[in-house]
Each structure stands twice: as C-alpha cells, then as structure tokens.
Amino acid sequence: MVSFDRRYSGQITLSLERSDGGPPPAGVSLAPTNLSANRQTRLEANLSLGVATDTPPAEYALRLKVWSKDFTAYHPIGLTVISRSNPAPNLPLYSAGAGGVYKDGVALPLYGLNWFGLETCDRAPHGLWSGRSVTEILAQVRGYGFNALRLPVSPAV
C-alpha cells in the first residue's frame, strides 16, 4: 500500500528504478504503472512487485518513481531476492492456538524462563558482561531442560 498526501487531479505514472536512477534488475516488475488522481481525496494504491524466478539473488536498493506533468517524487524500496536453487529445508510446522503451541499438530510442552536485561538501561541480556558467550549461556539453559526463553523489552529505555 502506498499513499500520497499530495492533492492532484490527473494521470500519475509509476515506475521502478535502482536508487541511482538506473533500470531495475531483470525480472523485477511493478503493477500498476498508471493511476488516476482526484484532487478531492488522498491517493492510495496497492502496488505489486513481480520477481521472476531467474532474477539474480541479491539485495537491491530500489525506488518508486511517481510523476506527472506537475511533480516528481521518489519513495525508497528495499528488495531482497533469495535463491530458489537452494530451497528452504523441510522444517517442522509450528503453530499457536487455544491452549498452547503445537509442532506438526502435536502439543509442545513449554518450559520457559525470563532473561532480564533488555528492558534496563544496559540494553543487553544480564550476564553477558561475565565473558561467557550467548551460545554457552543458551546451552546451559537448554541443559537445564528449558525450551522457551522470554526477553522482556521496554520501548521507553
């Protein structure tokens, strides 16, 4: 969804380009490419990016170019294309519903603990200052039988 506060009546053209103004990567397309604007209402439109299967895997810095006879505007878009030749492994399906968490449809018992620190002025899980790595600490937590970890955070900090 893209929206524009600009009040304008007439035809608006949309295009996709690299952030340096060059053409978009091969296989990447945008729809729609034309919109009709009415000065009385805010312009809102659902846009779709199409990515062909042969588009090279990479992170692309793109921008949406919006223009008419009276103005030109740009909106940045980040696009990450992953390789289809290396599909994701067949991972278990996890879901949450009334009464618990399920792995492949079977109830998964959760044994959890709180790891405080991210909500404090230190902004780091408590104990990392001790010189032990996160990997070591989590291995110990797992060794005690815990399979869930809650990291409290506070946006006020």
Side-chain angles (χ1 to χ4, degrees):
M1 170 67 83
V2 66
S3 62
F4 306 99
D5 287 327
R6 177 179 289 277
R7 301 288 191 237
Y8 177 77
S9 288
Q11 193 68 18
I12 295 176
T13 303
L14 306 169
S15 66
L16 195 61
E17 57 187 39
R18 293 182 188 266
S19 41
D20 62 5
V28 177
S29 61
L30 173 73
T33 56
N34 290 293
L35 297 173
S36 293
N38 177 338
R39 181 180 307 243
Q40 306 306 315
T41 61
R42 178 183 176 142
L43 177 63
E44 294 186 351
N46 287 315
L47 303 177
S48 297
L49 283 179
V51 180
T53 57
D54 59 347
T55 301
E59 290 189 20
Y60 296 101
L62 305 174
R63 65 183 181 186
L64 174 67
K65 181 179 179 182
V66 182
W67 79 95
S68 72
K69 62 180 178 164
D70 296 330
F71 72 92
T72 300
Y74 297 94
H75 301 277
I77 297 174
L79 174 66
T80 301
V81 177
I82 59 173
S83 172
R84 287 192 175 227
S85 61
N86 296 324
N90 190 11
L91 299 174
L93 175 64
Y94 289 90
S95 61
V101 176
Y102 302 88
K103 176 181 173 184
D104 293 326
V106 177
L108 179 67
L110 294 179
Y111 303 100
L113 57 93
N114 290 318
W115 190 0
F116 75 94
L118 286 175
E119 79 284 9
T120 69
C121 59
D122 293 333
R123 296 187 184 115
H126 187 72
L128 291 181
W129 45 263
S130 70
R132 295 177 61 204
S133 71
V134 172
T135 305
E136 290 174 310
I137 294 171
L138 291 179
Q140 182 180 7
V141 167
R142 183 69 180 139
Y144 288 142
F146 294 102
N147 63 0
L149 185 64
R150 178 178 175 261
L151 295 167
V153 296
S154 171
V157 175

